[in-house]
Amino acid sequence: MNDILKEARDAFREIEAKEKTNRADALADIKFARMSEQWPESIRKQRETDPAGPRPCLTINKLAPVIRQVVNDARQNRPAISVHPADDKADPETAEVIGGLIRNIEQSSNADVAYDTGVEHAVSGGFGYWSINLDYSMDISSSDDLSTYGPSAFEQDIRINRVSNPFSVYGDPWSTQADSSDWNSAFVVEKVKKSVYRRKYPGAKLTDFSEAMWTGLETPWFTEDTVLVAAYWKREEVIKQAVAVEGGDNLVMLVEDFEKLLAELGPEMVKATTQPRPIKCHKVTQHLISGVEELEKTDWKGKYIPIIPVYGDEVNVEGERYFRSLIRDAKDSNRMFNYWRTTATEVVALAPRAPFIGPKGAFKSDAAKWRTANSHSHAYIEHDGNVAPTRETFAGVPAGMIQEALNASDDIKAVTGIYDASLGQRSNETSGKAIMARQREGDISTYHFIDNLNRAIRHTGKILIDLIPKVYSTERIIRILGEDGKADTKPINKEYEKGKDQQGNPLMAIHDLRVGRYDLTVKAGPSFTSRREEAASQMIELIRAYPDAAPVIGDLLASNLDWPGADEIAKRLEKMLPPQLRDEETGNIPPEVQGQMQQMAEAIQQMG
């Protein structure tokens, strides 16, 4: 066995042992809340095999709507990444281009599906994931003429992919960062049937599964029917040397061994102006392995392992990290609710079976009808004797059962922090403000799940900002998206003419993604469409409160309306604006316009 296989198998064994509790609890939570498997198996079997006949095991899943409430809230207020310059070499316009490129990556990758799946797993089980991968920009078929593509056939794009099975990922157990950006190892595993393994990995050397190397593997690497294939991600710290050389302060070389470079090229070729200093870097490698051989090795371009976890409720106990779902502590309450509702149903269902009581011989006439009186409807039944048979009347469901079921339902609300108003149900609140306040309480009690999603998306942004200069490093034209979703194209890493000045001279610009450092912020809130609709609604209210504002803001109102032709209406209204408002260069606003603006400001304050 080579070194990387032994290292990977040892690391996997360690991670599997450390994650055993979290994974078992998450699986139980998901089966309970999402699959409605809410009765203990032993009790279910006991009730189904009762000597008196099968007894019901009713399941009223009250936790699935609770999960959907938090997940759908995250979908409505999905965080957005904004890029900002971080040093004097970075350019604000280039930051906007990078931000637009990230939005385009998210859209073309269906990243919203990845984010939604990740947060859904976090809320349901305690943890979820998505990943970042590289793919070639051109989707080339075998019949294409490659000469028509040129260098663009080798261009790559970044993709954000969902991880549909959260149990396929094993993260670094020694990670301490909230977003796990310090992962130094990770596994993404897939169980493959033996017949599929041969087809999927034709380059594999060891395909005779009867060999001792295979049969000697422990579970889960090898079973009777499957082979475990793992992508082993490894992140190592590498020390390089930075040295400034002739050519200005901006010319800094980063080399593995400066003394070796100096010996190879000579001091005349490498004229250092400073002493070399060590720089800590990170090298990330992916090893695709089975239990017996390394199938593929890839050097990743970034400095982070491109698997992003999104966690639920994190608890650290004596150095062990536990990830808990939203419904972890509410399962017992739902079990109690199921039990009491099942018991009440049994009482009601058995009530019509209460036997008829009468003197001996009273049931000889119409005996067949009397035998089916509890299961069939008969127009009449004759009896013998003077006293008609009677039956005990049903006293109704005991009040204690109903009360216990209500108590269990209240316990679910108290544990999850989500009450009726948050779920859209009518409650004691009558005013709109009271209902909004109760809904806000529910949002606050579960906000740590949304905040953890924000952290995960921020870590995603850090990975993208690290990758973009390395993936988009050549001269090319890229598509970017604005916050409103409108697409545009921009040339990158080369100078281009963006317009002309007043004298007709060309204005040149360059968006070099390889120069400068950039940082990001993550904003959570309604989508651009929702904000636009809210803006239009508020503008209409302003015009109703202050009609004189209509000629001044009419173009802005039209641009925020989602009508066919709304943009054209906005352009026409803009031409009708007073000259003082269209000429923003002078900054000279007449007194009468200032008075109108003051009245508008007062109207806005009254509306607020």
Side-chain angles (χ1 to χ4, degrees), residues 270-344:
V270 185
K271 298 181 179 180
T273 59
T274 64
Q275 291 294 321
R277 76 174 186 88
I279 296 286
K280 289 184 179 180
C281 306
H282 288 94
K283 177 183 178 182
V284 178
T285 310
Q286 183 201 60
H287 303 269
L288 188 66
I289 63 171
S290 66
V292 297
E293 67 177 308
E294 183 177 12
L295 303 170
E296 186 180 313
K297 178 182 176 182
T298 305
D299 290 330
W300 182 246
K301 293 185 177 183
K303 62 181 179 181
Y304 299 103
I305 291 177
I307 303 169
I308 298 91
V310 51
Y311 295 127
D313 187 11
E314 179 184 353
V315 182
N316 193 308
V317 180
E318 296 183 337
E320 297 290 336
R321 298 176 76 184
Y322 297 93
F323 304 109
R324 298 165 57 84
S325 70
L326 172 65
I327 54 91
R328 179 73 50 85
D329 295 327
K331 292 193 294 184
D332 282 344
S333 298
N334 207 147
R335 289 190 183 102
M336 292 168 59
F337 185 83
N338 290 338
Y339 172 77
W340 288 115
R341 292 304 299 268
T342 300
T343 303

Side-chain angles (χ1 to χ4, degrees), residues 153-170:
F154 298 94
E155 292 176 349
Q156 289 184 307
D157 282 327
I158 302 173
R159 296 284 182 260
I160 300 173
N161 297 326
R162 79 167 186 155
V163 176
S164 58
N165 177 15
F167 299 102
S168 66
V169 177
Y170 293 78

Side-chain angles (χ1 to χ4, degrees), residues 491 495-500 504-509:
E495 198 173 32
Y496 72 99
E497 182 180 333
K498 70 173 184 178
K500 296 184 182 296
N505 299 318
L507 294 174
M508 306 304 293

Side-chain angles (χ1 to χ4, degrees), residues 85 87-96 510-511 515-518:
D87 64 7
D88 58 343
K89 301 179 185 65
D91 175 44
E93 291 187 6
T94 303
E96 293 181 7
I510 183 172
H511 303 299
V515 177
R517 291 189 303 109
Y518 295 88

Side-chain angles (χ1 to χ4, degrees), residues 394-415:
F394 177 51
V397 179
M401 293 183 184
I402 301 298
Q403 186 58 50
E404 287 300 327
L406 292 175
N407 291 343
S409 181
D410 289 340
D411 290 341
I412 293 174
K413 300 171 192 175
V415 170

Side-chain angles (χ1 to χ4, degrees), residues 352-356 369-376 391:
R353 298 182 184 179
F356 286 89
K369 290 183 178 180
W370 282 111
R371 280 194 296 270
T372 59
N374 283 329
S375 58
H376 292 75
R391 181 166 57 181

